[in-house]
Amino acid sequence: MNLQISLQQFQGPLDLLLTLIQKQELDISKISLSQVADQYLKFINENKHIPFNKLLDFLAIASQLIILKTRALLPYLSDDAEEESEDNLIIKLQNYQLYLNLAKKLQNRLENQQSISFSRLSKSINFRLDESSITLPLLQKTAARLLTQKVKPMPITALKKIFNIQEKLKQINDYLKQKEKFLFSELVGRTSSKIEIIISFLALLELSKAGVVFISQKEMFEEITIMKHGT
Amino acid sequence: MEHETWNKIKSIVESLLFAAGKPISYNQIAKILKIDQKEAEQTIRQMQKEYQEQKRGFRIVSNNYQAEMTSAPENAEMLSQFLNYEKSAISQAKIEALTVLAYKGPLTQAELEEIRGVNCSVILRNLKIDDLIDGIKQGDMIKYQVSVKFLKMLGIESVEELQSNVNCLLS
Amino acid sequence: MEHETWNKIKSIVESLLFAAGKPISYNQIAKILKIDQKEAEQTIRQMQKEYQEQKRGFRIVSNNYQAEMTSAPENAEMLSQFLNYEKSAISQAKIEALTVLAYKGPLTQAELEEIRGVNCSVILRNLKIDDLIDGIKQGDMIKYQVSVKFLKMLGIESVEELQSNVNCLLS
């Protein structure tokens, strides 16, 4: 499905999610969220130039969607905390939708209504500064107060390529060409990024669903073995 | 309060609001009249009611412990012509943030971000520069709420007028 | 005149006189309300009487077929207190704006607002009237800088002198 959308159209991740859900004429629910999760991730993938501060907001929701989708695929992976966070996301979206409707109403009112209260158009009051009150020490003190707040530099390095699910899928495919059987730990290698591990896992689930691989795990928390289907 | 005193206070507050031509804080009114802030607020509420009942040509818009005397919204059409008023458009993002603040405010930046799901530092700064919101210090925190200027654009006298309609809908 | 109509007319005249902030002619009022000048004058006379009787905080001063709304003279002393508050608030804001322009200037209005976090159109206008800043055209933009008069008040010769002074302080 071609989304034909760009970041500029959206106020943020909630706006994007709502739009995706509404496009499919769905209600806001866990099911609809897991249905649009792929499109959401694809959107982030395709918009390489999301400014860093916005990217963080989009990623925060993305990680929730990934977990939600994982659980939809594997319903027995149940966790109360996660379920609560899913419920929260749904409430957040419902509220957000309500605010959007209210915003539309306010916008209409501002544009069309005839009721405006006007201020008195008096000449603004002006006082000349007392010349003796302006001194160099006062200026320096004021400058120190106003001009020294430094802006913290943003850590732009970390989150650059984490989000490429397609890339992960390709990587696993390449892996499968060389080996018919390998361990999940081999796949994630030395990465310590939780999101990357989740993405790898999600990519695996996708491949499993598509019948490309077969996944097995002997016990909980044991190593996961991935096998090419048919071996 | 004695009737005589009340009339005197009302007259002074009226003069102050009239002369200011912009919002004045309850605190400032209280200081000038040597009454307490609560009394200043009550006086203003009372005057708001009176102006409405008497269908006067002016009203008082109040918010964030501030009040401004304005023209009556029902006369806007005549006044727009007289003042050559042109509506200025507000961007979608700004409207969205203003809506959340108007219905749910005052909110901290973090609370607003939780609802909107995006970082709001830039938009809050810009709304502040536009005079469309006020930042109110509460302890260490700053809470944001729509300004008197925004209410004037809607022709309403207080946020309560908006909030009473929809509060039950928002969880 | 019917009671209803009279109330409506009074409300609009009140709005007009309030919002105008300066004298308006009876003729202008008559035109806006589509009544004749005589009626406009009568309305204003009536309102003058009402304001006095009700001891309101404002009055209508009329002269040469013009009317202007003013604050009630008996509250002048209280108003002068308000103006004192205003004076210190304005001085504070002016010193802040001048400081930013002195050390960071020349700046556009938007750049100054970004640093101060508040709308600066009024203050820039007033500082220009005071001759404490200059506006320099750069392409489409106007950049503001402290004036020679301001430097003289500080007893220094150039902005560079000022800026070198404080650069070590800021970095």
Side-chain angles (χ1 to χ4, degrees):
Chain A
M1 176 188 167
N2 189 3
L3 291 174
Q4 296 264 323
I5 42 183
S6 78
L7 182 75
Q8 273 67 36
Q9 293 170 252
F10 300 100
Q11 304 302 334
L14 296 179
D15 197 12
L16 171 60
L17 256 186
L18 261 188
T19 308
L20 292 175
I21 292 172
Q22 281 161 354
K23 269 196 175 173
Q24 304 210 5
E25 293 173 11
L26 298 168
D27 293 327
I28 300 168
S29 69
K30 284 182 197 179
I31 296 167
S32 63
L33 280 176
S34 78
Q35 280 183 31
V36 298
D38 283 342
Q39 294 170 31
Y40 182 94
L41 295 172
K42 191 165 171 253
F43 172 81
I44 295 182
N45 247 338
E46 286 169 357
N47 280 267
K48 304 282 185 207
H49 305 295
I50 302 180
F52 179 74
N53 59 346
K54 276 206 164 180
L55 181 65
L56 279 183
D57 298 324
F58 279 95
L59 285 180
I61 300 290
S63 64
Q64 267 182 290
L65 287 177
I66 291 170
I67 295 168
L68 189 138
K69 220 197 143 194
T70 313
R71 278 164 29 79
L73 291 171
L74 301 168
Y76 51 85
L77 273 182
S78 160
D79 179 321
D80 287 347
E82 279 168 6
E83 236 174 295
E84 203 185 310
S85 102
E86 286 166 16
D87 291 340
N88 279 342
L89 180 58
I90 284 165
I91 292 170
K92 236 176 163 177
L93 269 175
Q94 284 166 341
N95 275 334
Y96 185 75
Q97 191 175 35
L98 211 53
Y99 280 120
L100 280 187
N101 290 336
L102 289 170
K104 257 184 222 138
K105 278 186 194 150
L106 276 190
Q107 177 90 300
N108 265 333
R109 225 175 127 165
L110 285 169
E111 277 168 11
N112 304 320
Q113 70 154 359
Q114 287 304 318
S115 114
I116 303 157
S117 310
F118 290 100
S119 292
R120 196 170 151 244
L121 272 189
S122 57
K123 274 189 215 130
S124 69
I125 308 165
N126 188 17
F127 288 99
R128 284 186 179 276
L129 277 176
D130 180 4
E131 298 208 359
S132 62
S133 73
I134 303 179
T135 61
L136 213 48
L138 175 67
L139 230 59
Q140 285 170 345
K141 220 175 75 189
T142 314
R145 181 165 54 85
L146 293 178
L147 301 175
T148 44
Q149 298 138 343
K150 277 188 195 146
V151 185
K152 280 184 211 140
M154 292 228 188
I156 301 193
T157 45
L159 285 146
K160 267 191 183 153
K161 282 184 81 185
I162 305 175
F163 241 82
N164 212 326
I165 255 205
Q166 252 69 23
E167 207 171 87
K168 261 295 168 231
L169 285 170
K170 195 174 161 286
Q171 195 191 331
I172 296 172
N173 255 327
D174 290 346
Y175 232 95
L176 285 169
K177 277 177 199 157
Q178 297 159 19
K179 286 182 165 187
E180 295 194 326
K181 182 176 167 184
F182 60 93
L183 299 174
F184 187 65
S185 59
E186 287 176 59
L187 180 67
V188 271
R190 281 173 311 223
T191 182
S192 57
S193 151
K194 244 184 211 161
I195 297 180
E196 199 171 344
I197 295 172
I198 293 173
I199 296 216
S200 302
F201 188 62
L202 188 65
L204 265 186
L205 291 176
E206 283 288 326
L207 289 173
S208 153
K209 205 173 70 171
V212 180
V213 295
F214 178 76
I215 306 171
S216 70
Q217 187 183 30
K218 278 185 190 147
E219 261 178 71
M220 239 206 283
F221 306 118
E222 271 286 303
E223 188 61 85
I224 300 168
T225 311
I226 299 121
M227 274 179 291
K228 199 172 180 177
H229 204 75
T231 31
Chain B
M1 213 185 289
E2 233 180 293
H3 187 70
E4 188 74 5
T5 325
W6 156 243
N7 269 342
K8 186 73 199 147
I9 286 179
K10 207 175 67 174
S11 163
I12 294 171
V13 173
E14 215 164 48
S15 286
L16 279 174
L17 291 176
F18 172 80
K22 63 174 191 183
I24 334 182
S25 69
Y26 295 163
N27 183 26
Q28 203 172 358
I29 293 170
K31 272 190 191 157
I32 291 170
L33 277 118
K34 299 194 176 60
I35 54 179
D36 53 73
Q37 195 174 314
K38 198 82 212 150
E39 282 176 304
E41 187 172 350
Q42 277 166 358
T43 310
I44 287 179
R45 295 247 174 276
Q46 184 69 34
M47 286 166 67
Q48 278 179 319
K49 223 175 110 197
E50 268 185 36
Y51 289 178
Q52 272 177 359
E53 282 169 3
Q54 296 171 6
K55 296 206 168 77
R56 302 218 71 106
F58 29 70
R59 293 295 148 76
I60 296 173
V61 178
S62 68
N63 201 14
N64 307 329
Y65 305 101
Q66 294 182 327
E68 178 178 353
M69 194 178 280
T70 68
S71 66
E74 63 266 28
N75 297 333
E77 213 183 318
M78 295 264 188
L79 282 180
S80 308
Q81 285 175 26
F82 173 68
L83 301 169
N84 287 323
Y85 174 73
E86 275 175 44
K87 279 177 187 165
S88 49
I90 305 177
S91 77
Q92 186 64 35
K94 281 181 182 173
I95 288 276
E96 197 191 297
L98 285 166
T99 305
V100 177
L101 291 177
Y103 286 103
K104 208 66 182 170
L107 297 173
T108 62
Q109 183 177 332
E111 287 166 339
L112 178 65
E113 287 173 347
E114 175 67 18
I115 292 175
R116 295 189 64 223
V118 281
N119 183 290
C120 295
S121 50
V122 174
I123 202 137
L124 282 174
R125 199 174 178 83
N126 288 335
L127 285 171
K128 188 93 207 308
I129 290 171
D130 293 344
D131 269 338
L132 292 172
I133 59 168
D134 294 321
I136 316 144
K137 262 204 178 137
Q138 285 190 4
D140 291 341
M141 292 181 306
I142 298 177
K143 290 212 168 197
Y144 296 93
Q145 176 57 294
V146 292
S147 68
V148 167
K149 182 178 172 190
F150 179 70
L151 297 182
K152 272 166 32 189
M153 291 169 82
L154 287 171
I156 57 175
E157 292 186 24
S158 66
V159 267
E160 287 80 18
E161 255 177 78
L162 278 178
Q163 292 179 342
S164 61
N165 287 326
V166 289
N167 245 351
C168 44
L169 296 173
L170 295 164
S171 46
Chain C
M1 213 185 291
E2 232 180 294
H3 188 69
E4 188 76 2
T5 325
W6 156 242
N7 269 342
K8 186 74 201 143
I9 287 179
K10 205 175 68 172
S11 164
I12 294 172
V13 173
E14 214 163 46
S15 285
L16 280 172
L17 289 175
F18 168 79
K22 59 178 189 186
I24 328 182
S25 68
Y26 297 161
N27 184 25
Q28 215 174 345
I29 293 171
K31 270 189 189 157
I32 293 168
L33 277 120
K34 298 191 177 65
I35 54 178
D36 54 74
Q37 196 174 317
K38 199 80 209 150
E39 279 176 305
E41 187 171 350
Q42 275 167 0
T43 309
I44 286 172
R45 295 251 172 275
Q46 184 71 34
M47 286 167 68
Q48 282 178 319
K49 221 175 113 200
E50 263 185 41
Y51 287 1
Q52 269 172 7
E53 281 169 4
Q54 296 172 1
K55 294 205 170 78
R56 301 218 73 102
F58 27 68
R59 296 296 146 76
I60 297 171
V61 180
S62 61
N63 194 16
N64 296 328
Y65 303 101
Q66 289 190 325
E68 179 176 7
M69 200 180 273
T70 65
S71 60
E74 62 267 29
N75 297 331
E77 201 187 316
M78 290 285 185
L79 279 183
S80 72
Q81 280 188 48
F82 166 71
L83 292 180
N84 273 336
Y85 280 112
E86 277 297 284
K87 190 174 178 176
S88 65
I90 289 173
S91 306
Q92 175 73 20
K94 277 186 174 174
I95 285 172
E96 283 191 18
L98 283 168
T99 303
V100 176
L101 290 177
Y103 290 110
K104 292 273 177 184
L107 297 173
T108 62
Q109 180 176 333
E111 288 164 341
L112 176 66
E113 287 174 339
E114 175 67 27
I115 294 174
R116 291 193 66 225
V118 290
N119 190 288
C120 295
S121 47
V122 175
I123 202 140
L124 282 173
R125 200 174 57 219
N126 285 337
L127 285 172
K128 263 188 93 172
I129 293 171
D130 296 348
D131 219 1
L132 293 174
I133 59 169
D134 296 320
I136 319 143
K137 258 203 176 146
Q138 284 189 4
D140 291 343
M141 293 181 305
I142 299 177
K143 291 214 166 195
Y144 296 93
Q145 193 166 27
V146 289
S147 68
V148 174
K149 183 181 166 189
F150 174 76
L151 293 176
K152 267 192 195 153
M153 281 163 76
L154 280 176
I156 54 173
E157 310 224 323
S158 68
V159 225
E160 287 76 21
E161 199 180 318
L162 195 65
Q163 291 180 346
S164 67
N165 225 328
V166 96
N167 265 347
C168 47
L169 195 142
L170 294 179
S171 54

